[in-house]
Amino acid sequence: MESAASAFLRSVMGKLFQVLEEYNKQKGLRQDTLSIQQDVRMIAAAMDDRLHALRRGEQRTAVARIYSEEMLGLVHDAQDCIDRIVHRLTCRPRVGGGGGGGGAALIRRVAAVAHELRKVQSRSGFADEIRQLKARLKLAHERVLGIPIPPAAASCCHEFAAAAPSCRFARNPVGIGRPVEDLLSMLDEVEGEKEQLRVISVVGFGGLGKTTLARAVYEDPHAVEKFHCRAWVAAGRWSPEVTGHGVGEILRDVLQQVRPKDAMDVVADNGQRIEALLKEYLKDKRYLIVIDDMGMEQWSTINSIFENNGKSSRILLTTTIQSTANICSHGNGYVYQMNTLGEEDSKKIALQEVRSPELEQGSMPLLQKCGGLPLALVSVSDFLKCSGEPTGERCTELCRNLGSHLREKHGHDNFAELRKVLMHNYDSLSVYAMTCLLYLGVFPNNRPLKRKVVIRRWLAEGYARSDSLRSEEDIADETFKALVDRNIIQSIGTRNNAQVKTCMTHGIMHEFVLHKSVSQGFIATSSRDHPRPHAYVNNACHLSIHGGNVTDSEASDEDLSRVRSLTVFGKAGDAISYVRKCKLLRVLDLEECSDLEDSHLKHIGKLWHLKYLSVGGSIAKLPSSIDGLHCLETLDLRRTKIKTVPIEAIMLYHLAHLFGKFTVDKEDLNNANKMSKATKFLSGNKSNLKTLAGFVTNERQGFLQLMVHMRNLRKVKIWCGPVANGSNYTNDLSKAIQEFTKVPMDNVGARSLSLDSEECSEDLLSSLAFEPCSEDSKYDVRSLKLRGKLLQLPPFVPLLSGLTELCISSATLTRDLLSSLINLRNLLYLKLIANELERFEMKSGAFPSLRRLCFVVQSLTSALPAIEQGALPNLVSLQLLCPSLVGLSGIQIRHLRHLKEVMVDSGVPDQTRQDWEQATKNHPNRPRLMLHKSGVRVESEGPGNEEVSAVRDKRKICVVQPSLDDGLDSSLKKMRLSSESSSRLQVIVQSTSSSGH
């Protein structure tokens, strides 16, 4: 609770200070402003001290808990005050009429004067609110200073200890047979490889069984026989934050096991002596050392001790942090990503040997919440044993109350170990990351989330504040990466540049986060498992409705003045009436609202504070009141039936991201006054539009006419319609693209362009021509996607100096087009999609920078492109998504020395699959082999794509991921699998459409 309140406090009050600069001009408020700032700093510092005390293992008192709740309420009230002040000071008055006559001008002047008068009148009212905030802050300051910090608890194993949970080895563990075999094979030497030290990192979310797996490998007879010098160290118990001991104790522990006599003669504080003894003893030994729960700081200090002695020694590490695993295993090591258990193995653990149709049906939702996490399943099993024979009814009851069992001091003892794991993950985050994680509770469990959507919503809520070095977008992105790095958020799909595209909060972590958010009043949700007490709804910041579980009488009784976001999934029912009651709403997400109609958005223009709006359902037209959304930053229309947008939507001052597939309203196009205003608005550099994805055009009028004036655009998607004879459309399109891509010579941009000419009868894209740039400018696009009838590479493509990502989709990709791609020497990612691919060769030196290469070919009538030795010297990912692929198709991967991943279509013949499995096994890097399962598309920054669905399969693989610091490519959805198969392939689902990238 302290973390959320402290983060809110710093973020909200920081904005309040900026607003108060307006009032500093009034002498009566200057002193109040300074006093508020000082009080806020003192309170935030005191709350941070409390958080650090909790992380050291100290107990939190009931008084401190009540105080945190008070602070959260204070922050909410401060937010209300800020929003009202900002609106009154910054929002422009709405005046009707589009005419330019004298009467209209007089109306505008009168409205402006009235607006200024209201601002003056409001100042006194806001001054009173500010003084009240000051008084409340003063009292809160006095109370926080009076809260005693208790002495550290005798044991650090309570719910709030930041120490890593104690290790517990599962007896007769389920589902680790194949992972043990995989790890044992990595202990062996690769054919043709020099005998050298290798570091193998096992990484995954807490509770997956990493320690159990490592112990099984350590005690396996094969390992015992192969390594006569072995040691096991639990690094987590020597964490400096918890015990004050660190590297010295870890090294002494190793020395004590490999050389007990020497360890007795040296104390842990004598680090240099321990290091010298270890180095001397291990220099001619083949050793296996397992370090459980390794930290990055610890590894940075001790890794130099374990030198490569040419004896094929191995170090096996476990960690929950992905970056730690990547760094530790950098070079010739391996990163082993642990998977969750599948349905059958989950039942074996949770339900033991009991089986019945009633139990199978009743336990399904509970097992889904556990998400295949072994520790969660063991906790459920122990709880069900305590309550007698497991039944479906008991499972349903436990599923409904699972969140309360994960709550500190209120849960059942059977969940104590699981609580510690979850709290350890939560408490290890920064205060901002904690708040952002709690926010994910608004989404349903097991729901794939798009990274950009999550980040835009965080920004709209104000959960990322810029500093002197970083923007709000950078801070939000870093927060997201931190959650992924700790495996709290699971990456289920990546973009072309290996950045996470879609993600999901782990099932049991989501339940923990949701219950924590609801119990703190941060979120109120309406679903079967989570009833909505009125007290929570009345004080909640975020409201999430699942399936319309709200009656009209309930909606009329609740105070929604503090609600900042409203998210609806499924039928909204009477909950749609909430929209007009949430006066300070910042985020309105109705994208998955199935019964949304045009009439529901009639008064949306009154939501003056709205920053994020996403709609779906049967919405076919935006209301005229859209121009009242002065603060709107994101407008997402991809799930709607909207074909045209009013010109007013383009002229919103703060709008940064506009998504859909539309044109400008014809009435607006024919209104000379409106088009003149829009052109003047855009030419004056008043537009903040960065993403326009996208619009349909087959003539100069409309977006092509306006696009040339949009100076802040960074991402554009254009659907090119049929071209009329004698039209200058091609020239107009070329001009618009030139203006978008032209930048000053010293500018390093990140522009993205997508052109779809599939509906055009001719090769439109190849006819686009650019004029030469002046000496002080250049054409610069980082990512380019081309779709249509392409006979040759469009001549403007080689002019794009910063091009690093290219995706081309055409019915036939000709040899001439493919050969011309070799000249693009800076490409990092190349994807080629076609029904037919003509033969061509990649000679030595081709694509010197390319990291990821993907072929999607439906009919492979001949072999794939020949890859000579020396071509693709930096390739890390090779994707061959060709159902008709036969064998290796002439491709030899052994000379691709940086290769880490190979993907083939799941529909290839069994012999082809075996051939590629053998090829990857014989490669020195042992790249992971994955199967692509077609038929599921990943939603892109444009409409028309289906959402990734959670897919289950009855095969399980724990896949070896070689060390790769910059991640791996492919927009993919990992399958949930069980553990019966002995195959070493990983089955994934990936988009095969160009728009899916």
Side-chain angles (χ1 to χ4, degrees):
M1 190 70 175
E2 282 85 357
S3 60
S6 178
F8 272 138
L9 197 64
R10 294 180 186 277
S11 176
V12 172
M13 290 304 178
K15 295 176 183 177
L16 180 59
F17 298 158
Q18 296 175 7
V19 173
L20 290 179
E21 292 297 325
E22 175 72 20
Y23 290 93
N24 273 337
K25 302 172 184 176
Q26 302 184 32
K27 294 182 180 179
L29 286 178
R30 183 175 294 129
Q31 191 60 39
D32 289 341
T33 302
L34 296 175
S35 177
I36 287 176
Q37 291 182 11
Q38 186 61 27
D39 286 343
V40 166
R41 291 190 185 100
M42 292 297 294
I43 293 172
M47 295 176 76
D48 287 342
D49 288 342
R50 290 292 313 152
L51 180 60
H52 293 319
L54 293 177
R55 287 179 173 174
R56 289 195 305 267
E58 298 171 3
Q59 297 286 355
R60 178 171 62 173
T61 65
V63 174
R65 190 174 286 108
I66 294 173
Y67 168 75
S68 297
E69 294 171 358
E70 178 193 17
M71 288 308 304
L72 194 58
L74 174 60
V75 171
H76 289 170
D77 290 342
Q79 181 80 68
D80 292 346
C81 177
I82 292 170
D83 287 345
R84 288 192 294 271
I85 293 174
V86 170
H87 171 68
R88 194 56 67 91
L89 289 179
T90 62
C91 288
R92 298 168 178 265
R94 281 192 65 201
V95 293
L106 178 61
I107 290 175
R108 288 194 292 271
R109 286 196 296 271
V110 171
V113 171
H115 180 64
E116 292 301 318
L117 286 174
R118 285 195 297 270
K119 285 169 60 175
V120 173
Q121 293 169 355
S122 299
R123 281 191 172 93
S124 60
F126 291 141
D128 290 339
E129 285 195 59
I130 291 170
R131 290 191 176 102
Q132 290 176 11
L133 282 175
K134 177 181 180 297
R136 291 176 63 187
L137 278 167
K138 182 178 180 181
L139 290 174
H141 187 190
E142 293 172 353
R143 279 195 287 271
V144 73
L145 294 178
I147 297 177
I149 297 180
S155 171
C156 62
C157 293
H158 58 80
E159 290 80 356
F160 284 91
S166 58
C167 300
R168 161 169 98 165
F169 305 121
R171 296 179 180 177
N172 302 316
V174 174
I176 70 166
R178 184 61 193 179
V180 168
E181 291 180 18
D182 288 335
L183 287 178
L184 287 174
S185 70
M186 281 183 276
L187 299 182
D188 296 332
E189 299 82 3
V190 177
E191 183 180 351
E193 180 190 46
K194 295 181 180 179
E195 294 185 346
Q196 55 185 330
L197 175 69
R198 180 184 298 158
V199 180
I200 304 163
S201 298
V202 180
V203 62
F205 185 72
L208 268 176
K210 300 182 297 296
T211 302
T212 299
L213 173 60
R215 194 75 191 187
V217 172
Y218 181 75
E219 295 177 347
D220 189 273
H222 177 73
V224 174
E225 181 181 354
K226 187 178 182 67
F227 303 95
H228 299 294
C229 180
R230 300 182 308 132
W232 173 283
V233 182
R237 66 192 179 105
W238 301 124
S239 175
E241 294 87 350
V242 179
T243 67
H245 298 286
V247 173
E249 289 292 346
I250 294 174
L251 295 180
R252 188 174 187 273
D253 205 349
V254 174
L255 184 62
Q256 194 168 26
Q257 296 178 61
V258 300
R259 192 73 171 172
K261 182 179 179 180
D262 290 342
M264 294 176 62
D265 299 332
V266 63
V267 296
D269 293 338
N270 193 347
Q272 292 182 347
R273 175 63 175 160
I274 294 176
E275 291 181 18
L277 289 171
L278 265 180
K279 276 189 175 182
E280 179 64 26
Y281 182 75
L282 296 177
K283 69 179 182 180
D284 58 351
K285 303 293 190 300
R286 174 180 287 189
Y287 56 84
L288 170 63
I289 297 176
V290 180
I291 308 179
D292 189 36
D293 199 15
M294 170 59 75
M296 191 61 252
E297 296 80 5
Q298 296 165 334
W299 177 253
S300 299
T301 305
I302 70 174
N303 74 87
S304 61
I305 308 297
F306 307 109
E307 298 176 341
N308 181 22
N309 58 8
K311 298 293 185 180
S312 295
S313 296
R314 300 290 184 260
I315 297 177
L316 180 61
L317 311 175
T318 71
T319 179
T320 60
I321 302 177
Q322 194 70 44
S323 58
T324 298
N326 291 341
I327 293 174
C328 292
S329 296
H330 178 72
N332 71 319
Y334 293 116
V335 175
Y336 191 89
Q337 189 81 40
M338 282 205 71
N339 291 333
T340 53
L341 297 177
E343 185 176 336
E344 287 303 315
D345 285 335
S346 295
K347 290 178 181 178
K348 288 179 183 178
I349 296 177
L351 308 180
Q352 299 298 312
E353 301 300 325
V354 182
R355 290 288 192 277
S356 72
E358 186 265 351
L359 180 58
E360 293 271 342
Q361 182 176 355
S363 64
M364 187 177 299
L366 177 61
L367 296 181
Q368 288 178 347
K369 283 189 177 182
C370 291
L373 189 74
L375 184 56
L377 295 166
V378 169
S379 301
V380 166
S381 176
D382 292 345
F383 180 86
L384 293 176
K385 289 175 184 177
C386 293
S387 60
E389 289 295 322
T391 64
E393 184 178 359
R394 286 196 179 96
C395 289
T396 301
E397 181 182 359
L398 176 57
C399 182
R400 185 168 54 249
N401 300 317
L402 185 59
S404 62
H405 290 294
L406 303 178
R407 185 179 179 187
E408 65 272 15
K409 293 189 177 181
H410 298 282
H412 197 279
D413 288 344
N414 294 130
F415 292 89
E417 191 71 21
L418 179 59
R419 282 198 300 272
K420 282 188 278 187
V421 168
L422 298 177
M423 282 304 304
H424 173 62
N425 280 277
Y426 180 74
D427 282 339
S428 64
L429 300 172
S430 68
V431 291
Y432 286 115
M434 286 180 178
T435 305
C436 292
L437 177 60
L438 291 179
Y439 185 76
L440 298 183
V442 302
F443 302 103
N445 198 1
N446 291 322
R447 179 65 59 99
L449 306 175
K450 288 179 286 185
R451 178 186 64 89
K452 288 188 176 181
V453 168
V454 170
I455 288 179
R456 289 181 192 127
R457 288 188 57 153
W458 284 346
L459 292 171
E461 302 284 3
Y463 292 155
R465 290 199 63 227
S466 60
D467 55 30
S468 58
L469 299 176
R470 300 168 298 173
S471 66
E472 291 183 349
E473 290 83 357
D474 289 339
I475 291 177
D477 193 57
E478 288 175 12
T479 300
F480 185 90
K481 289 177 179 177
L483 295 175
V484 173
D485 189 41
R486 294 179 179 275
N487 284 285
I488 294 173
I489 288 181
Q490 297 174 301
S491 171
I492 57 175
T494 56
R495 303 187 64 82
N496 303 341
N497 58 2
Q499 192 175 45
V500 174
K501 181 177 182 179
T502 53
C503 64
M504 185 186 300
T505 309
H506 191 279
I508 198 67
M509 190 68 187
H510 182 276
E511 189 69 12
F512 169 80
V513 164
L514 178 58
H515 187 80
K516 198 171 188 65
S517 300
V518 171
S519 64
Q520 293 181 1
F522 184 64
I523 291 175
T525 182
S526 173
S527 64
R528 293 180 180 180
D529 291 346
H530 300 279
R532 303 173 313 103
H534 285 278
Y536 283 161
V537 175
N538 291 343
N539 291 284
C541 290
H542 311 289
L543 187 56
S544 181
I545 306 296
H546 303 176
N549 295 320
V550 180
T551 65
D552 190 52
S553 60
E554 285 180 314
S556 62
D557 292 340
E558 291 170 346
D559 176 18
L560 304 176
S561 61
R562 282 182 169 172
V563 173
R564 296 294 184 279
S565 73
L566 174 61
T567 309
V568 178
F569 300 92
K571 290 186 177 181
D574 295 326
I576 200 66
S577 63
Y578 280 171
V579 174
R580 63 176 181 268
K581 299 183 68 177
C582 303
K583 301 298 184 183
L584 298 177
L585 203 64
R586 289 168 170 259
V587 172
L588 179 59
D589 191 340
L590 305 176
E591 182 176 307
E592 297 190 40
C593 179
S594 58
D595 55 349
L596 191 64
E597 299 176 358
D598 288 342
S599 59
H600 293 146
L601 301 181
K602 183 178 180 180
H603 302 293
I604 199 171
K606 294 181 179 180
L607 299 177
W608 297 313
H609 307 284
L610 199 64
K611 292 189 174 185
Y612 182 98
L613 174 61
S614 179
V615 292
S618 59
I619 298 295
K621 185 177 182 180
L622 282 176
S624 58
S625 61
I626 191 73
D627 62 342
L629 301 179
H630 302 287
C631 300
L632 194 66
E633 297 172 353
T634 299
L635 177 58
D636 194 336
L637 308 175
R638 285 175 285 189
R639 293 289 188 90
T640 69
K641 299 178 180 179
I642 291 176
K643 303 296 183 183
T644 63
V645 294
I647 197 70
E648 289 82 3
I650 312 299
M651 297 171 62
L652 294 172
Y653 276 84
H654 297 284
L655 187 64
H657 308 287
L658 178 58
F659 301 104
K661 187 178 181 180
F662 40 71
T663 61
V664 178
D665 189 278
K666 285 188 177 181
E667 292 184 5
D668 291 344
L669 285 175
N670 296 326
N671 188 320
N673 185 47
K674 282 191 174 184
M675 291 300 292
S676 176
K677 282 185 177 181
T679 302
K680 184 178 180 180
F681 173 80
L682 296 172
S683 300
N685 203 26
K686 297 178 181 179
S687 172
N688 191 44
L689 198 60
K690 298 176 182 177
T691 304
L692 179 57
F695 64 89
V696 181
T697 182
N698 57 4
E699 55 186 5
R700 181 176 184 274
Q701 282 189 323
F703 276 104
L704 281 186
Q705 179 182 355
L706 299 173
M707 179 180 160
V708 295
H709 303 294
M710 298 178 182
R711 302 300 181 187
N712 293 318
L713 277 181
R714 292 295 178 269
K715 180 167 187 172
V716 175
K717 181 167 186 176
I718 304 174
W719 283 271
C720 305
V723 182
N725 292 330
S727 171
N728 289 325
Y729 169 64
T730 303
N731 293 333
D732 296 333
L733 179 60
S734 296
K735 181 180 178 181
I737 296 175
Q738 284 183 71
E739 290 298 320
F740 169 66
T741 59
K742 186 183 295 184
V743 297
M745 187 61 69
D746 59 351
N747 183 284
V748 180
R751 285 171 171 75
S752 174
L753 176 63
S754 177
L755 299 173
D756 189 328
S757 63
E758 187 70 15
E759 297 182 8
C760 298
S761 56
E762 68 282 349
D763 186 4
L764 172 67
L765 300 182
S766 295
S767 64
L768 298 179
F770 282 16
E771 297 177 355
C773 275
S774 59
E775 293 183 358
D776 60 346
S777 62
K778 61 181 179 180
Y779 295 120
D780 188 17
V781 168
R782 177 183 57 81
S783 176
L784 178 64
K785 303 174 184 66
L786 303 175
R787 182 170 182 256
K789 299 175 178 63
L790 289 164
L791 302 178
Q792 60 183 0
L793 187 68
F796 71 89
V797 175
L799 301 178
L800 303 176
S801 60
L803 187 63
T804 57
E805 300 175 16
L806 178 61
C807 177
I808 298 180
S809 176
S810 182
T812 300
L813 289 177
T814 65
R815 181 173 181 174
D816 289 342
L817 186 153
L818 296 171
S819 299
S820 60
L821 294 176
I822 296 177
N823 297 321
L824 305 177
R825 298 178 62 81
N826 294 329
L827 277 184
L828 297 176
Y829 174 85
L830 176 62
K831 182 171 185 177
L832 302 173
I833 305 173
N835 292 328
E836 183 179 353
L837 187 71
E838 292 186 1
R839 176 77 174 177
F840 81 108
E841 296 179 353
M842 297 185 188
K843 296 185 179 296
S844 178
F847 299 110
S849 303
L850 200 67
R851 304 279 286 172
R852 297 166 181 84
L853 176 61
C854 177
F855 292 99
V856 182
V857 185
Q858 295 302 317
S859 177
L860 193 63
T861 56
S862 60
L864 285 167
I867 304 175
E868 292 186 1
Q869 186 167 353
L872 307 172
N874 289 298
L875 196 72
V876 296
S877 174
L878 177 63
Q879 302 174 18
L880 309 174
L881 311 185
C882 314
S884 56
L885 181 68
V886 177
L888 302 182
S889 190
I891 294 180
Q892 300 297 322
I893 64 172
R894 190 171 180 85
H895 63 267
L896 301 175
R897 58 192 182 93
H898 293 295
L899 192 65
K900 308 295 182 183
E901 170 190 273
V902 176
M903 184 189 303
V904 297
D905 194 274
S906 61
V908 299
D910 290 341
Q911 185 59 51
T912 297
R913 188 182 306 180
Q914 294 171 14
D915 291 344
W916 280 103
E917 184 173 9
Q918 188 63 40
T920 55
K921 186 176 181 180
N922 292 337
H923 193 285
N925 291 347
R926 290 191 180 180
R928 61 176 177 175
L929 177 61
M930 302 190 297
L931 295 182
H932 162 271
K933 190 170 184 178
S934 60
V936 177
R937 306 172 72 189
V938 180
E939 186 170 345
S940 68
E941 299 286 66
N945 288 334
E946 301 173 4
E947 181 182 318
V948 174
S949 59
V951 183
R952 293 183 179 271
D953 195 276
K954 292 186 177 180
R955 289 177 296 178
K956 165 78 171 187
I957 306 279
C958 287
V959 182
V960 179
Q961 176 183 343
S963 171
L964 183 59
D965 294 339
D966 58 352
L968 290 173
D969 172 64
S970 71
S971 302
L972 52 84
K973 172 70 179 73
K974 291 182 181 177
M975 308 285 290
R976 285 191 185 278
L977 310 163
S978 63
S979 309
E980 290 82 10
S981 173
S982 62
S983 168
R984 61 186 294 265
L985 303 177
Q986 179 182 7
V987 183
I988 60 95
V989 175
Q990 179 185 19
S991 167
T992 57
S993 67
S994 60
S995 57
H997 294 265

